[in-house]
């Protein structure tokens, strides 16, 4: 049984007298590892070390070197892709085929970051645009912030961590990284991979611990310059309130809508929405939760959707053909089942699914739903989707926007005018046309409006948020006389 400790300045903190926390496989509850928990003293040392490493090392590291380290990490991850995929199966219960997808995306994130590290540019300003500015030159550089605190969730333990670590390194920051306590093993292995790729000690410090013990003091620490957080709305709100003057990026939840107009390609929409609602048991922030279908195609859509959903293979996430594995904990599976039961009490109908067995909740399609049910109003974060008929474009835009969230939406139509009209009116961080809300490509700007978050990720955009502008002006003394002549 492996014990995983925090890593501070390259050294693992894994003494025998530390408090521990077990990591379980969510499918069979096997113990797959143990955490040697970080203390407040570790946190203090990690932040101080990151702060010192920024000033002694990282801010002087040339872009080509940062780029090389990121590229080497991508190469190492490519070599060990299968080992990392198996780790995610074990700690998160993510079916192997989706775990492999996550690794492939993570490799791409590292490669994008490696390329972008060499392309962080500023601008030259037309100083003579201002009266009296004729003899001046001005330019803007983008400089790193210092220490970035990165706090990550369980559902994409590798890729969402890399969406923070890779741009932070590309931009020249140091990092204190707190992964989710339920999925810390991939995080530990990732930090080791960075070490092997040549990242100097202290640039990436890892803290193993809970949100309360380690996350909260990280957020309030005065030597941390930015918090980048992906997780739930209640925790995001708390972070926003306690972060003080720090920059904050919050990537939070949603109850993503998908809209099928009467001219939608039903066959491909059904196929994609099965994946969109049920991949990783719906524990995806942009999972398709509300599917609005024009009444003229509602019946054929629903019957095909039920047919394909009930054929999904439920089972052990390590099996090649498993589509639906466990949820992260039994508590979460019970919570989701409770939301189904509440909706049924209020008049909703279960079209397929609805049964729970331990941590596994069967993929569930609901109809007859309304906005007073949690499965519509809140983020369900479980394999539950609701199908709702509509009649007009105006009506469905109202339904889709009737939410505290606004992360990503899918719109299915072959009418380009309508697609653009609807996309413009949806209150979302992103809209896909003829694609599910659940699709994310790692190089587009990604992040929500309303209570889905603040700021954007997507490497290039995260780098912008992890640097700041510094203006440098020069007064050219030789041009004084010419200045005077222009008054
Ligand atoms: P979570 O419970 O909010 O936890 C996320 C991270 O925050 C964990 O590392 C957690 O630590 C830590 N944390 C908890 N309390 C904290 C506090 N008071 N201060 C600082 N950190 C604290 O979320 P989750 O259950 O892991 O993930 C699911 C949520 O993430 C969903 O709402 C989902 O929509 C959202 N999500 C959003 C995106 C996006 O890009 N918008 C992507 C993926 C997921 P411990 O768990 O270790 O205690």
């Amino acid at each position: 049984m492996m014990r995983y400790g925090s890593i501070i300045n390259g050294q693992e903190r894994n003494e025998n007298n530390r408090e521990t926390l077990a990591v379980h496989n969510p499918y069979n509850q096997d113990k797959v590892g143990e955490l040697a928990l970080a203390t407040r003293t570790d946190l203090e040392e990690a932040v101080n070390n990151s702060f010192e490493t920024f000033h002694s090392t990282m801010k002087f590291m040339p872009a080509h070197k940062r780029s090389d380290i990121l590229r080497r990490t991508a190469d190492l991850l490519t070599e060990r892709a299968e080992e990392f995929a198996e780790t995610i199966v074990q700690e998160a219960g993510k079916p192997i085929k989706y775990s492999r997808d996550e690794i492939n995306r993570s490799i791409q994130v590292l490669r994008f970051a490696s390329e972008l590290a060499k392309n962080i540019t500023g601008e030259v300003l037309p100083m003579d645009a201002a009266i009296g500015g004729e003899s001046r030159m001005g330019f803007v550089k983008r400089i790193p912030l210092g220490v970035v605190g990165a706090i990550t969730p369980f559902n994409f333990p590798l890729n969402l961590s890399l969406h923070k670590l890779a741009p932070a390194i590309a931009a020249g920051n140091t990092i204190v990284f707190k992964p989710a306590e339920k999925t810390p093993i991939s995080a530990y292995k990732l930090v080791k991979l960075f070490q092997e790729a040549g990242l100097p000690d202290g640039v990436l410090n890892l803290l193993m611990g809970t949100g309360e013990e380690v996350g909260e003091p990280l957020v309030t620490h005065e030597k941390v310059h930015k918090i980048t957080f992906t997780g739930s709305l209640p925790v995001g709100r708390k972070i926003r309130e306690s972060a003080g003057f720090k920059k904050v990026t919050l990537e939070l939840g949603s109850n993503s809508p998908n809209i099928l107009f009467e001219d939608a390609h039903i066959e491909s929409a059904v196929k994609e929405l099965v994946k969109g609602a049920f991949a990783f048991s719906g524990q995806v922030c942009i999972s398709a939760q509300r599917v609005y279908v024009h009444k003229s195609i509602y019946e054929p859509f629903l019957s095909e959707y039920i047919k394909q959903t009930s054929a999904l293979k439920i089972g052990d996430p390590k099996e090649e053909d498993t589509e639906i594995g466990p949820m992260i904990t039994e508590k979460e599976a019970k919570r989701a089942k409770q939301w189904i039961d509440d909706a049924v009490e209020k008049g909703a109908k279960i079209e397929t699914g609805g049964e729970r067995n331990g941590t596994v909740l069967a993929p569930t399609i609901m109809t007859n739903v309304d906005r007073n049910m949690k499965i519509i109003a809140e983020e369900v974060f479980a394999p539950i989707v609701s199908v709702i008929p509509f009649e007009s474009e105006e009506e469905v835009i109202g339904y889709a926007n009737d939410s505290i969230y606004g992360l990503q939406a899918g719109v299915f139509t072959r009418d380009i005018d309508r697609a653009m009209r609807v996309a413009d009116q949806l209150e979302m961080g992103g809209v896909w046309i003829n694609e599910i809300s659940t699709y994310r490509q790692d190089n587009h700007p990604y992040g929500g409006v309303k209570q889905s978050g603040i700021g954007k990720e997507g490497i290039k955009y995260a780098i912008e948020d992890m640097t700041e502008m510094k203006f440098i002006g020069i007064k050219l003394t030789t041009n004084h006389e010419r200045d005077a002549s222009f008054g």
Side-chain angles (χ1 to χ4, degrees):
M1 178 64 51
M2 277 287 288
R3 247 169 78 115
Y4 302 90
S6 303
I7 299 176
I8 301 170
N9 201 23
Q11 301 301 312
E12 188 166 345
R13 307 265 167 121
N14 201 350
E15 306 84 347
N16 281 332
N17 59 356
R18 281 181 181 264
E19 263 189 64
T20 57
L21 194 69
V23 183
H24 294 281
N25 177 325
Y27 182 68
N28 53 21
Q29 304 314 315
D30 284 354
K31 192 168 162 184
V32 294
E34 196 170 71
L35 293 187
L37 290 174
T39 60
R40 294 279 169 127
T41 312
D42 295 319
L43 173 113
E44 198 56 38
E45 287 179 18
V47 175
N48 282 329
N49 178 251
S50 290
F51 189 83
E52 280 154 24
T53 310
F54 175 71
H55 289 287
S56 65
T57 310
M58 199 54 176
K59 76 177 180 193
F60 304 111
M61 188 188 282
H64 66 82
K65 187 152 186 220
R66 303 196 304 267
S67 172
D68 282 350
I69 291 168
L70 288 159
R71 199 198 57 250
R72 277 203 295 274
T73 311
D75 293 343
L76 290 170
L77 185 55
T78 309
E79 281 167 25
R80 296 187 207 153
E82 196 56 19
E83 178 199 332
F84 270 82
E86 283 165 12
T87 301
I88 291 175
V89 172
Q90 289 209 336
E91 65 179 3
K94 184 176 285 189
I96 183 73
K97 66 180 188 179
Y98 294 121
S99 297
R100 289 193 187 117
D101 285 350
E102 179 169 350
I103 307 303
N104 290 336
R105 287 180 58 191
S106 302
I107 294 166
Q108 284 202 67
V109 168
L110 282 160
R111 295 208 190 284
F112 278 126
S114 167
E115 287 157 21
L116 288 163
K118 292 196 275 194
N119 284 290
I120 299 173
T121 58
E123 63 179 327
V124 177
L125 301 178
M127 297 302 283
D128 63 350
I131 297 166
E134 291 84 348
S135 63
R136 286 169 171 82
M137 277 182 69
F139 51 96
V140 177
K141 291 178 77 174
R142 289 213 80 98
I143 57 162
L145 302 175
V147 181
V148 171
I151 305 177
T152 54
F154 75 84
N155 64 337
F156 286 83
L158 197 72
N159 196 34
L160 293 181
S161 297
L162 277 169
H163 266 287
K164 302 180 182 317
L165 310 185
I169 292 168
N173 295 292
T174 56
I175 305 142
V176 179
F177 172 29
K178 195 220 95 57
E181 75 198 56
K182 295 184 192 75
T183 53
I185 303 175
S186 52
Y188 174 92
K189 291 186 172 179
L190 179 62
V191 172
K192 289 284 190 189
L193 220 57
F194 271 114
Q195 277 184 331
E196 206 179 320
L199 192 69
D201 291 346
V203 174
L204 173 56
N205 285 328
L206 171 72
L207 288 174
M208 294 301 199
T210 63
E212 215 169 292
E213 277 302 306
V214 174
E216 281 184 28
L218 180 63
V219 170
T220 51
H221 202 292
E222 59 179 16
K223 285 187 180 159
V224 176
H225 302 92
K226 178 188 168 93
I227 291 292
T228 171
F229 169 79
T230 299
S232 61
L233 173 58
V235 177
R237 188 177 281 129
K238 212 164 169 183
I239 289 176
R240 175 72 170 162
E241 283 163 6
S242 58
F245 272 101
K246 293 177 184 64
K247 280 187 155 204
V248 174
T249 296
L250 301 176
E251 298 286 347
L252 311 177
S254 85
N255 55 355
S256 293
N258 285 262
I259 304 171
L260 275 73
F261 285 100
E262 58 270 39
D263 57 352
H265 193 291
I266 299 187
E267 209 177 304
S268 72
V270 168
K271 192 164 157 255
E272 293 305 315
L273 281 163
V274 170
K275 242 191 301 164
F278 303 119
F280 194 30
S281 293
Q283 299 169 118
V284 178
C285 50
I286 39 179
S287 194
Q289 182 172 330
R290 299 176 288 153
V291 177
Y292 297 102
V293 184
H294 190 266
K295 68 172 187 359
S296 62
I297 57 167
Y298 181 78
E299 289 305 334
F301 170 83
L302 184 61
S303 68
E304 189 56 27
Y305 200 27
I306 293 169
K307 189 171 141 208
Q308 293 192 25
T309 299
S310 36
L312 288 170
K313 164 105 192 304
I314 303 175
D316 191 332
K318 74 175 193 306
E319 303 296 334
E320 294 291 331
D321 57 349
T322 294
E323 296 277 354
I324 305 286
M327 291 185 62
I328 191 71
T329 57
E330 185 161 12
K331 185 169 166 230
E332 270 299 288
K334 280 184 177 163
R335 189 265 311 155
K337 169 71 174 136
Q338 184 61 47
W339 286 21
I340 294 174
D341 295 344
D342 285 350
V344 169
E345 260 177 45
K346 289 181 176 151
K349 180 175 174 212
I350 300 173
E351 297 286 352
T352 180
E355 315 88 29
R356 180 183 72 84
N357 181 8
T359 49
V360 179
L361 184 67
T364 303
I365 298 179
M366 310 283 295
T367 55
N368 287 350
V369 294
D370 68 49
R371 67 189 301 281
N372 299 312
M373 299 171 182
K374 283 186 172 175
I375 55 166
I376 293 297
E378 297 188 25
E379 179 184 39
V380 77
F381 216 60
I384 305 170
V385 66
S386 294
V387 183
I388 304 141
F390 72 91
E391 290 189 21
S392 74
E393 187 179 308
E394 198 188 354
E395 177 195 10
V396 78
I397 289 168
Y399 289 154
N401 286 341
D402 181 19
S403 171
I404 58 167
Y405 295 113
L407 191 47
Q408 223 167 239
V411 178
F412 293 81
T413 175
R414 286 180 248 196
D415 176 345
I416 188 69
D417 289 344
R418 173 152 64 193
M420 293 312 296
R421 223 170 30 236
V422 174
D424 279 346
Q425 290 182 77
L426 288 176
E427 296 161 356
M428 298 285 152
V431 177
W432 274 106
I433 293 160
N434 293 323
E435 179 58 276
I436 45 177
S437 62
T438 325
Y439 182 78
R440 176 184 181 185
Q441 208 169 286
D442 294 289
N443 61 338
H444 69 68
Y446 181 81
V449 297
K450 299 178 167 175
Q451 294 183 39
S452 284
I454 300 171
K456 295 280 184 267
E457 293 196 334
I459 310 114
K460 174 175 178 239
Y461 310 96
I463 289 175
E464 277 171 21
D465 275 358
M466 289 185 185
T467 51
E468 58 198 348
M469 285 188 257
K470 181 174 218 169
F471 167 75
I472 299 175
I474 306 173
K475 184 174 174 188
L476 304 170
T477 47
T478 47
N479 280 357
H480 268 176
E481 280 145 37
R482 214 174 66 196
D483 259 8
S485 66
F486 286 105

